[in-house]
Amino acid sequence: MVSAVLWIVIVILVVLVLWFILAYNSFVRLKNRINNAWSQIDVQLKRRFDLIPNLMESVKGYMKHERGVLKEVTSARTEFLKAKGPKEMAQAEGHLAGALKSIFAVAENYPTLRASENFMQLQEELSGTESKIAYARQHYNDSVLEYNNKVQMFPSRIIAGIFGFGQREFFDVPEAERKNIKVSF
Amino acid sequence: MIMEKKSFYDHISANKRNSVFLILITLGILIFLGYFLGLILGNVYFGVTIAVIVSLFMVMITFVAGDELILKASGAVPADKRHHAFLINTVEGLSIAAGIPKPKIYIIEDETINAFAIGRKPEKASVAATTGALKKLNRTELEGVLGHEISHVKNYDVRFMMITVVMIGAIILLSDFLLRSFIFGVGGRGRKVHPALIVVALALAILAPIAGYLIKLAVSRKREFLADANGALLTRHPSGLAGALRKIKNDNTKPTRTANKAVSHLYFSNPFKNTAILSTHPPLDERIKRLENM
């Protein structure tokens, strides 16, 4: 009788320890996935960042009278350079995306520019990078959502509490700030 | 928005469950066959062991076989950045969204609208699209199709289908073995086998391959639905994929020249357009309807 009870206790302990290990490992895995997802965003943001000087160069000759738009891009680029952490970066990213959009909108008025091979390739490249940023952000936010759910939910939150797995920030911009892009023509 | 996402995940988990169920049935048939074979031969364990060894051996074959062969057979050439920038960018973006490495990207010179993905794991995956798909689909639709293919890669569908195919192969092999053991009368040697057992075993030997074949097709169709749901989740835009399927439905170009039956389950839409139960793909109308309800 005593040994039966002992066995039950042992089994329960083993199951608990196993759960503990599995839960801890899944936190580590999710955390690494988030970090990896973040570096994907970073790669794409840098890629676009590096494309901007080329774009400015190819556009400069045509858009002499659109200083406002060009300046907008430059200042958004500088803002992006200074941004720290997901929240600020997301905000700067939004401004930069908006500024680029207005360049391409203005470019519609310059048929010779639009027809140039170089510009067309840059436009394709930039819009490709743009959608990659969106996809990378989606992956990052999905990963953060899964991780944050785990941090908050019972019983996994016990593990999170013990090992200090805190909540992570989403890469997101409040709707109001996203609209806050002034373009002076 | 929340509701939408929940129903995406519902589709995905339901499909996963069904696929597991189907593969368990296949395994069951296999072991059952081995058991009967053992009965006829006089040793049950021997029969079951043969069944397991045969299926393991066949699974191993698929892991050794290369993707290059299939790519070459379908006439795929690597896509270049200059001419297919949108294709390459989209595949790269979708693989970022799915959290898998970038697959190799190929083009198949063919006027039909189609695409396929191969590679037994995401690290070794390749995605191919026909020139017809690039020409006839708009960007959202092409994105939908590619999302479907990337989902195949992410879900290990290619590996899953390969395993199913070889398990069917194992069933056929064992059934054949069982039939032969009747013809050559292995069971008759000094052993009494109940006549009813012989009838059951005979029926099994004939029906099992047919059942296996139908199961393979059913598994394939389930996987297509799953990839549709997952692809829509990746692009967050089910109507793009639905639009592509509608265009395929109305497209009357002749079937893919280089497609053959062995790889038809790999394609985005069935190159042979045959119907319902004998098809590796669900009917287009059903796929469109499910996407529209997401």
Side-chain angles (χ1 to χ4, degrees):
Chain A
M1 196 57 208
V2 175
S3 75
V5 172
L6 190 68
W7 274 114
I8 291 171
V9 171
I10 287 175
V11 167
I12 291 174
L13 273 178
V14 167
V15 168
L16 266 178
V17 168
L18 276 180
W19 171 78
F20 206 81
I21 294 170
L22 287 178
Y24 177 79
N25 283 351
S26 84
F27 268 116
V28 173
R29 192 164 34 239
L30 278 174
K31 203 177 153 190
N32 287 341
R33 201 209 290 170
I34 291 175
N35 290 341
N36 178 46
W38 176 253
S39 69
Q40 290 284 0
I41 297 183
D42 220 34
V43 166
Q44 298 308 330
L45 287 176
K46 288 222 169 68
R47 170 101 191 97
R48 179 167 70 185
F49 192 75
D50 295 340
L51 282 170
I52 289 173
N54 296 348
L55 178 74
M56 298 305 254
E57 201 55 46
S58 80
V59 154
K60 216 166 55 189
Y62 298 90
M63 293 191 179
K64 290 207 176 76
H65 309 292
E66 318 277 1
R67 294 233 180 276
V69 189
L70 299 182
K71 218 178 144 212
E72 188 73 35
V73 174
T74 324
S75 72
R77 192 171 181 263
T78 323
E79 183 194 340
F80 177 77
L81 208 57
K82 286 187 204 140
K84 295 263 181 312
K87 198 132 259 148
E88 274 182 37
M89 267 179 115
Q91 205 169 319
E93 197 277 319
H95 289 167
L96 194 50
L100 283 174
K101 213 175 273 169
S102 54
I103 278 217
F104 288 120
V106 171
E108 291 292 312
N109 303 329
Y110 297 84
T112 41
L113 171 62
R114 267 191 312 158
S116 93
E117 174 90 356
N118 186 25
F119 181 76
M120 266 157 58
Q121 266 178 22
L122 272 170
Q123 187 167 19
E124 183 64 58
E125 198 52 40
L126 273 164
S127 78
T129 313
E130 192 80 42
S131 69
K132 278 182 209 165
I133 292 170
Y135 281 130
R137 165 200 294 222
Q138 180 179 315
H139 181 51
Y140 174 81
N141 284 341
D142 284 354
S143 307
V144 169
L145 180 69
E146 202 181 329
Y147 173 83
N148 282 353
N149 278 345
K150 252 199 151 123
V151 169
Q152 288 169 52
M153 276 180 190
F154 186 83
S156 50
R157 67 179 302 159
I158 300 170
I159 306 272
I162 293 171
F163 294 101
F165 288 107
Q167 295 208 41
R168 295 288 288 259
E169 236 176 298
F170 286 101
F171 188 85
D172 224 343
V173 203
E175 207 55 41
E177 283 179 38
R178 204 176 292 169
K179 283 184 193 133
N180 190 20
I181 301 160
K182 276 175 267 145
V183 184
S184 37
F185 286 96
Chain B
M1 189 63 201
I2 300 289
M3 277 298 289
E4 251 175 63
K5 274 176 86 172
K6 194 169 161 52
S7 80
F8 276 136
Y9 287 116
D10 282 349
H11 273 276
I12 290 165
S13 59
N15 275 311
K16 272 190 181 149
R17 243 191 342 264
N18 289 335
S19 293
V20 169
F21 181 62
L22 283 165
I23 210 159
L24 282 178
I25 291 180
T26 321
L27 240 166
I29 294 180
L30 210 59
I31 289 172
F32 202 56
L33 264 176
Y35 174 78
F36 267 93
L37 186 68
L39 269 186
I40 300 289
L41 293 176
N43 188 336
V44 173
Y45 297 108
F46 177 65
V48 174
T49 312
I50 283 191
V52 171
I53 289 176
V54 166
S55 38
L56 279 182
F57 179 70
M58 300 204 67
V59 169
M60 264 169 56
I61 288 178
T62 58
F63 276 75
V64 180
D67 302 333
E68 283 79 10
L69 209 69
I70 296 175
L71 282 169
K72 205 166 247 174
S74 50
V77 290
D80 73 298
K81 185 101 197 170
R82 208 177 154 75
H83 296 104
H84 305 290
F86 180 71
L87 175 71
I88 292 175
N89 281 332
T90 309
V91 171
E92 284 177 2
L94 285 163
S95 56
I96 291 170
I100 59 169
K102 285 166 196 161
K104 285 184 226 129
I105 304 159
Y106 290 86
I107 306 268
I108 299 171
E109 192 72 42
D110 194 293
E111 281 307 297
T112 52
I113 305 172
N114 227 331
F116 71 77
I118 54 166
R120 58 188 156 78
K121 53 182 178 182
E123 290 76 21
K124 296 193 166 183
S126 311
V127 171
T130 59
T131 43
L134 297 178
K135 241 181 273 169
K136 291 171 192 167
L137 299 179
N138 68 31
R139 292 193 161 199
T140 340
E141 288 160 352
L142 186 62
E143 198 178 17
V145 171
L146 295 171
H148 172 103
E149 295 306 328
I150 292 289
S151 304
H152 272 320
V153 174
K154 196 193 176 187
N155 295 340
Y156 287 82
D157 277 352
V158 181
R159 173 191 288 187
F160 187 92
M161 282 314 298
M162 274 177 163
I163 291 174
T164 322
V165 167
V166 295
M167 286 205 348
I168 308 303
I171 287 182
I172 292 170
L173 212 72
L174 276 179
S175 302
D176 197 49
F177 203 26
L178 196 59
L179 273 176
R180 269 163 214 276
S181 70
F182 283 120
I183 295 165
F184 297 112
V186 182
R189 265 201 315 253
R191 267 185 50 88
K192 265 224 166 97
V193 181
H194 197 279
L197 184 66
I198 292 187
V199 173
V200 171
L202 201 61
L204 199 66
I206 294 165
L207 291 179
I210 300 172
Y213 188 62
L214 291 181
I215 286 172
K216 177 203 145 185
L217 298 177
V219 169
S220 174
R221 290 197 295 265
K222 287 270 176 273
R223 291 268 136 181
E224 290 307 314
F225 279 133
L226 177 59
D228 279 354
N230 273 333
L233 183 63
L234 278 184
T235 60
R236 305 274 146 109
H237 204 70
S239 60
L241 183 51
L245 288 168
R246 228 172 273 124
K247 273 196 185 159
I248 288 170
K249 200 180 134 197
N250 299 326
D251 187 53
N252 290 321
T253 321
K254 280 212 186 85
T256 318
R257 173 180 51 89
T258 40
N260 60 51
K261 280 235 183 306
V263 291
S264 74
H265 62 269
L266 294 172
Y267 276 90
F268 170 69
S269 83
N270 191 346
F272 300 105
K273 288 198 175 172
N274 41 8
T275 47
I277 197 161
L278 288 177
S279 173
T280 53
H281 285 66
L284 289 171
D285 286 326
E286 176 68 20
R287 287 171 76 181
I288 293 169
K289 208 175 83 197
R290 288 201 188 190
L291 284 166
E292 278 169 348
N293 289 335
M294 272 178 197

